[in-house]
Amino acid sequence: NKFDEVYSKEVKRSKRYNNELSMIIFDIDDFKMVNDNYSHQIGDDVLKEIAKIIQNGVREQDINVRWGGEEFLILLPQTNLEGAQIVANKINNTVFEHLFTEKQLKLSANFGVSELKEEDDEKTFMSRVNKLLFESKNRGKSVVIAR
């Protein structure tokens, strides 16, 4: 898939040139409930609005994809952990304050954020960010964990 190619390239580039690379994975809380209570159309509209929020929250060179049902992944080249955490907090706050669709739904999201480390490969990096997302979900809603 296209993302895997880009991801692999960015990890290699980061290591070769010793550039910072960070990743954010986030997902929408209780998204299944939106689909079940309203409709898949409303669910799709929510996802489109989320995509717009991401678009407004990242730079042109950042790479973002929908990663499964209600998960999104953002790759931030030349960005350290602190910078990525700022982006995640901005998206988190925007999602939290946004009223979604004509149903004016209040939603929240959870975030795992990390920076590529010297000893990382593609798998360990992805795996750590996923674990951080899982940890943030266990702590409640609208939580950003960056490590």
Side-chain angles (χ1 to χ4, degrees):
N1 99 19
K2 178 104 174 71
F3 176 77
D4 291 337
E5 275 170 48
V6 172
Y7 176 60
S8 172
K9 208 182 290 175
E10 287 298 336
V11 169
K12 287 186 180 86
R13 180 182 300 157
S14 170
K15 287 182 169 298
R16 185 181 314 125
Y17 298 110
N18 208 6
N19 286 338
E20 295 165 322
L21 176 67
S22 291
M23 186 182 346
I24 299 170
I25 298 182
F26 75 95
D27 80 357
I28 314 302
D29 296 320
D30 307 320
F31 184 71
K32 191 183 172 321
M33 212 172 65
V34 173
N35 279 333
D36 293 349
N37 292 350
Y38 298 97
S39 71
H40 284 277
Q41 183 53 59
I42 294 291
D44 282 349
D45 291 346
V46 165
L47 294 174
K48 284 185 191 123
E49 289 177 30
I50 293 279
K52 219 170 271 168
I53 288 171
I54 296 171
Q55 227 39 71
N56 294 332
V58 300
R59 304 161 306 178
E60 212 176 308
Q61 69 264 35
D62 298 327
I63 298 134
N64 68 81
V65 290
R66 185 166 159 207
W67 194 247
E70 65 277 8
E71 277 195 355
F72 293 84
L73 188 152
I74 307 169
L75 211 49
L76 305 126
Q78 295 174 331
T79 305
N80 64 14
L81 184 64
E82 204 181 347
Q85 192 171 1
I86 290 168
V87 172
N89 285 329
K90 187 160 99 179
I91 293 172
N92 186 26
N93 293 336
T94 307
V95 167
F96 193 75
E97 288 160 10
H98 189 84
L99 294 173
F100 286 88
T101 76
E102 74 266 17
K103 303 280 185 217
Q104 302 285 284
L105 305 175
K106 291 289 278 170
L107 296 170
S108 58
N110 280 75
F111 295 75
V113 184
S114 198
E115 182 180 355
L116 187 70
K117 296 175 165 68
E118 211 178 312
E119 66 276 12
D120 272 330
D121 60 27
E122 293 166 33
K123 280 198 178 67
T124 57
F125 186 29
M126 181 71 76
S127 158
R128 182 171 61 256
V129 181
N130 269 312
K131 283 192 186 102
L132 293 170
L133 171 63
F134 188 73
E135 200 183 311
S136 82
K137 292 164 81 69
N138 285 335
R139 288 210 198 157
K141 291 182 182 344
S142 280
V143 177
V144 174
I145 295 185
R147 194 177 304 129

